[in-house]
PDB file of all heavy atoms in Angstrom:
ATOM      1  N   PRO A  24      12.425  69.272 -16.653  1.00 40.00           N
ATOM      2  CA  PRO A  24      11.938  68.603 -15.442  1.00 40.00           C
ATOM      3  C   PRO A  24      10.500  68.216 -15.617  1.00 40.00           C
ATOM      4  O   PRO A  24       9.716  68.917 -16.231  1.00 40.00           O
ATOM      5  CB  PRO A  24      12.100  69.683 -14.349  1.00 40.00           C
ATOM      6  CG  PRO A  24      12.132  70.952 -15.087  1.00 40.00           C
ATOM      7  CD  PRO A  24      12.762  70.659 -16.431  1.00 40.00           C
ATOM      8  N   THR A  25      10.150  67.063 -15.096  1.00 41.00           N
ATOM      9  CA  THR A  25       8.775  66.586 -15.180  1.00 41.00           C
ATOM     10  C   THR A  25       8.046  66.908 -13.917  1.00 41.00           C
ATOM     11  O   THR A  25       8.629  67.301 -12.927  1.00 41.00           O
ATOM     12  CB  THR A  25       8.742  65.072 -15.418  1.00 41.00           C
ATOM     13  OG1 THR A  25       9.301  64.446 -14.270  1.00 41.00           O
ATOM     14  CG2 THR A  25       9.538  64.676 -16.639  1.00 41.00           C
ATOM     15  N   LYS A  26       6.700  66.723 -13.945  1.00 40.00           N
ATOM     16  CA  LYS A  26       5.871  67.011 -12.782  1.00 40.00           C
ATOM     17  C   LYS A  26       5.410  65.753 -12.111  1.00 40.00           C
ATOM     18  O   LYS A  26       4.460  65.770 -11.361  1.00 40.00           O
ATOM     19  CB  LYS A  26       4.650  67.859 -13.192  1.00 40.00           C
ATOM     20  CG  LYS A  26       5.000  69.270 -13.557  1.00 40.00           C
ATOM     21  CD  LYS A  26       3.737  70.113 -13.710  1.00 40.00           C
ATOM     22  CE  LYS A  26       4.039  71.544 -13.987  1.00 40.00           C
ATOM     23  NZ  LYS A  26       2.849  72.375 -14.075  1.00 40.00           N
ATOM     24  N   THR A  27       6.080  64.605 -12.445  1.00 40.00           N
ATOM     25  CA  THR A  27       5.692  63.374 -11.760  1.00 40.00           C
ATOM     26  C   THR A  27       6.315  63.364 -10.394  1.00 40.00           C
ATOM     27  O   THR A  27       7.368  63.964 -10.168  1.00 40.00           O
ATOM     28  CB  THR A  27       6.173  62.138 -12.553  1.00 40.00           C
ATOM     29  OG1 THR A  27       7.571  62.235 -12.769  1.00 40.00           O
ATOM     30  CG2 THR A  27       5.461  62.029 -13.889  1.00 40.00           C
ATOM     31  N   PRO A  28       5.686  62.699  -9.411  1.00 42.00           N
ATOM     32  CA  PRO A  28       6.215  62.739  -8.039  1.00 42.00           C
ATOM     33  C   PRO A  28       7.646  62.263  -7.948  1.00 42.00           C
ATOM     34  O   PRO A  28       8.432  62.789  -7.197  1.00 42.00           O
ATOM     35  CB  PRO A  28       5.257  61.828  -7.266  1.00 42.00           C
ATOM     36  CG  PRO A  28       3.991  61.849  -8.064  1.00 42.00           C
ATOM     37  CD  PRO A  28       4.429  62.000  -9.488  1.00 42.00           C
ATOM     38  N   THR A  29       8.071  61.228  -8.695  1.00 41.00           N
ATOM     39  CA  THR A  29       9.457  60.764  -8.674  1.00 41.00           C
ATOM     40  C   THR A  29       9.852  60.351 -10.080  1.00 41.00           C
ATOM     41  O   THR A  29       9.013  60.060 -10.917  1.00 41.00           O
ATOM     42  CB  THR A  29       9.619  59.542  -7.740  1.00 41.00           C
ATOM     43  OG1 THR A  29       8.738  58.512  -8.175  1.00 41.00           O
ATOM     44  CG2 THR A  29       9.305  59.893  -6.300  1.00 41.00           C
ATOM     45  N   VAL A  30      11.171  60.346 -10.338  1.00 39.00           N
ATOM     46  CA  VAL A  30      11.665  59.939 -11.650  1.00 39.00           C
ATOM     47  C   VAL A  30      12.162  58.510 -11.564  1.00 39.00           C
ATOM     48  O   VAL A  30      12.959  58.184 -10.675  1.00 39.00           O
ATOM     49  CB  VAL A  30      12.817  60.863 -12.104  1.00 39.00           C
ATOM     50  CG1 VAL A  30      13.362  60.414 -13.447  1.00 39.00           C
ATOM     51  CG2 VAL A  30      12.315  62.280 -12.157  1.00 39.00           C
ATOM     52  N   SER A  31      11.734  57.647 -12.457  1.00 41.00           N
ATOM     53  CA  SER A  31      12.168  56.254 -12.426  1.00 41.00           C
ATOM     54  C   SER A  31      13.645  56.176 -12.769  1.00 41.00           C
ATOM     55  O   SER A  31      14.090  56.703 -13.799  1.00 41.00           O
ATOM     56  CB  SER A  31      11.369  55.425 -13.431  1.00 41.00           C
ATOM     57  OG  SER A  31      10.003  55.491 -13.127  1.00 41.00           O
ATOM     58  N   ALA A  68      16.032  65.419 -10.756  1.00 47.00           N
ATOM     59  CA  ALA A  68      14.834  66.134 -11.192  1.00 47.00           C
ATOM     60  C   ALA A  68      14.098  66.674  -9.978  1.00 47.00           C
ATOM     61  O   ALA A  68      14.023  66.018  -8.949  1.00 47.00           O
ATOM     62  CB  ALA A  68      13.918  65.201 -11.978  1.00 47.00           C
ATOM     63  N   PRO A  69      13.574  67.908 -10.072  1.00 49.00           N
ATOM     64  CA  PRO A  69      12.851  68.446  -8.915  1.00 49.00           C
ATOM     65  C   PRO A  69      11.610  67.633  -8.623  1.00 49.00           C
ATOM     66  O   PRO A  69      10.897  67.209  -9.528  1.00 49.00           O
ATOM     67  CB  PRO A  69      12.478  69.868  -9.364  1.00 49.00           C
ATOM     68  CG  PRO A  69      12.533  69.829 -10.864  1.00 49.00           C
ATOM     69  CD  PRO A  69      13.582  68.815 -11.219  1.00 49.00           C
ATOM     70  N   VAL A  70      11.367  67.417  -7.389  1.00 40.00           N
ATOM     71  CA  VAL A  70      10.184  66.667  -6.965  1.00 40.00           C
ATOM     72  C   VAL A  70       9.057  67.654  -6.696  1.00 40.00           C
ATOM     73  O   VAL A  70       9.220  68.583  -5.899  1.00 40.00           O
ATOM     74  CB  VAL A  70      10.473  65.836  -5.706  1.00 40.00           C
ATOM     75  CG1 VAL A  70       9.220  65.112  -5.249  1.00 40.00           C
ATOM     76  CG2 VAL A  70      11.603  64.855  -5.978  1.00 40.00           C
ATOM     77  N   PRO A  71       7.935  67.549  -7.386  1.00 43.00           N
ATOM     78  CA  PRO A  71       6.828  68.491  -7.151  1.00 43.00           C
ATOM     79  C   PRO A  71       6.415  68.513  -5.692  1.00 43.00           C
ATOM     80  O   PRO A  71       6.368  67.489  -5.019  1.00 43.00           O
ATOM     81  CB  PRO A  71       5.697  67.955  -8.038  1.00 43.00           C
ATOM     82  CG  PRO A  71       6.395  67.145  -9.080  1.00 43.00           C
ATOM     83  CD  PRO A  71       7.597  66.563  -8.406  1.00 43.00           C
ATOM     84  N   ILE A  72       6.158  69.721  -5.235  1.00 44.00           N
ATOM     85  CA  ILE A  72       5.723  69.912  -3.852  1.00 44.00           C
ATOM     86  C   ILE A  72       4.202  69.924  -3.835  1.00 44.00           C
ATOM     87  O   ILE A  72       3.571  70.470  -4.745  1.00 44.00           O
ATOM     88  CB  ILE A  72       6.296  71.222  -3.295  1.00 44.00           C
ATOM     89  CG1 ILE A  72       7.824  71.165  -3.374  1.00 44.00           C
ATOM     90  CG2 ILE A  72       5.844  71.492  -1.881  1.00 44.00           C
ATOM     91  CD1 ILE A  72       8.507  72.474  -3.093  1.00 44.00           C
TER      92      ILE A  72
END
Side-chain angles (χ1 to χ4, degrees):
T25 65
K26 289 190 176 183
T27 55
T29 57
V30 178
S31 301
V70 178
I72 301 169

